[in-house]
Amino acid sequence: MARYNVCSLSRRTIWVDAIHYGLEQLARTNPGWSYSIESLVRESETVPHLSLLDLTTQQSVCVESFPVSGPRMLILVHASQRRMIKQLFEQTRCSILCVDEHAFNFREIIESSMRNKRFLSPFIREVTAEDAPCEDKIILTEAENKVLSFIREGKSGVEISQALFRSQKTVSSHKRNIMRKFGVRDDLGLKKKLLAMSESEYG
């Protein structure tokens, strides 16, 4: 049985409650998986897999004062806090989630923290893209590459599924994975990304 431990470093807010709700939904749909959320006030011998810090009401931040640092610290911000987002991105290795977006995968947050890998939700990746250092080539599976080649040709999901002899659900799944890897949230964002990137940057 797997147990995921979360420590909230902020007072209870609507966004901390939303994280709690997301964890509850995952626990319901994944038998054998459970979670706990404790506050900083309650001393616990359990080392948290993830620490939450809600900065959605802050105008500025002093990263040196953070009680925890690194990818296992998830900072909650608003889309309007662009200056703070860029500061957090540049000065810390913390994970960052924009609470105004709905396109992120909650399971990805958990998987990232378990691998001690920084999580950035799609909006955060978009905002910080110009400041990001050169990253490794985006790796797509063979199936994703096939779907992407049809997308580049302007084919619809129905046309792609017919050409590949795959269900529309399978094609949609590949497309979602492609969008996640490219850090975009919709078809328009994907088209812009493809126009901006050369084919040598992914494959």
Side-chain angles (χ1 to χ4, degrees):
M1 180 173 175
R3 187 168 185 83
Y4 190 74
N5 302 305
V6 180
C7 176
S8 176
L9 304 174
S10 304
R11 62 183 176 77
R12 186 170 176 177
T13 66
I14 187 173
W15 306 117
V16 172
D17 284 347
I19 296 292
H20 194 299
Y21 178 76
L23 291 169
E24 187 177 310
Q25 293 302 310
L26 279 176
R28 282 184 188 158
T29 56
N30 293 275
W33 189 87
S34 63
Y35 73 97
S36 66
I37 293 187
E38 297 184 7
S39 68
L40 186 63
V41 180
R42 290 175 58 189
E43 300 269 335
S44 174
E45 295 179 4
T46 309
V47 177
H49 295 110
L50 188 69
S51 296
L52 291 177
L53 185 60
D54 185 348
L55 297 181
T56 54
T57 60
Q58 303 294 317
Q59 298 301 317
S60 61
V61 64
C62 176
V63 297
E64 290 81 14
S65 66
F66 286 177
V68 181
S69 62
R72 291 193 175 186
M73 163 92 109
L74 179 64
I75 299 175
L76 309 180
V77 294
H78 274 300
S80 60
Q81 297 171 297
R82 286 178 178 250
R83 184 177 297 164
M84 183 188 293
I85 289 169
K86 291 194 175 187
Q87 179 189 357
L88 291 167
F89 179 77
E90 292 167 359
Q91 298 180 12
T92 76
R93 290 295 304 151
C94 296
S95 296
I96 311 171
L97 169 65
C98 175
V99 298
D100 299 306
E101 61 185 315
H102 306 286
F104 68 91
N105 184 336
F106 202 92
R107 188 184 296 274
E108 193 179 337
I109 297 174
I110 294 169
E111 290 173 351
S112 293
S113 72
M114 295 300 285
R115 295 196 309 265
N116 206 28
K117 180 182 175 186
R118 186 179 208 182
F119 169 84
L120 300 173
S121 60
F123 176 79
I124 303 299
R125 290 195 295 264
E126 185 179 307
V127 168
T128 57
E130 61 208 40
D131 302 321
C134 275
E135 297 183 356
D136 294 335
K137 179 178 176 179
I138 297 170
I139 305 299
L140 301 177
T141 65
E142 184 179 347
E144 289 166 357
N145 266 314
K146 287 179 181 176
V147 169
L148 186 59
S149 67
F150 285 112
I151 291 172
R152 289 181 72 90
E153 294 172 12
K155 303 284 188 187
S156 69
V158 174
E159 291 171 322
I160 296 171
S161 68
Q162 289 172 347
L164 294 176
F165 301 101
R166 296 287 182 268
S167 70
Q168 289 183 44
K169 187 176 180 181
T170 299
V171 170
S172 294
S173 176
H174 289 317
K175 187 175 177 181
R176 280 195 304 274
N177 288 336
I178 292 166
M179 292 170 74
R180 177 179 55 80
K181 289 178 180 180
F182 282 2
V184 296
R185 294 175 288 173
D186 51 34
D187 288 349
L188 180 60
L190 182 58
K191 287 176 183 176
K192 287 181 178 177
K193 191 78 170 180
L194 290 173
L195 287 172
M197 294 174 70
S198 66
E199 290 191 36
S200 63
E201 293 179 72
Y202 58 87

